[in-house]
Amino acid sequence: MSAQSMVRSGPETPAIQPRTATQPVLMEKAVSSEELLNGRREILISHGDRVYRLRHTSNDKLILTK
């Protein structure tokens, strides 16, 4: 039996496909905006060497800016 004939294909061995930009990334747990903001309207988030501002608007939207 050759090595090629031993390789299975079909539904029991799905092919591994690379993730595309349109596929969502699964998150383990969502963090609520209330938990992040902790009663504030705005927080600063440090990421690497940059600081971002997360703001809760009067229209109940979140805006993240550099």
Side-chain angles (χ1 to χ4, degrees):
M1 182 179 277
S2 72
Q4 269 190 325
S5 65
M6 291 174 54
V7 175
R8 294 182 181 219
S9 62
E12 67 277 354
T13 56
I16 298 172
Q17 299 293 326
R19 192 177 74 77
T20 64
T22 58
Q23 292 175 322
V25 175
L26 298 177
M27 304 300 286
E28 292 201 17
K29 177 188 174 221
V31 178
S32 72
S33 59
E34 290 85 12
E35 189 176 348
L36 278 175
L37 293 168
N38 197 22
R40 297 170 289 204
R41 301 295 293 179
E42 180 175 296
I43 60 170
L44 298 178
I45 301 171
S46 173
H47 180 70
D49 62 345
R50 305 223 181 216
V51 175
Y52 295 82
R53 182 179 310 267
L54 180 65
R55 189 166 51 95
H56 182 198
T57 70
S58 58
N59 293 331
D60 201 30
K61 306 286 184 189
L62 293 176
I63 298 177
L64 180 66
T65 56
K66 279 189 187 180

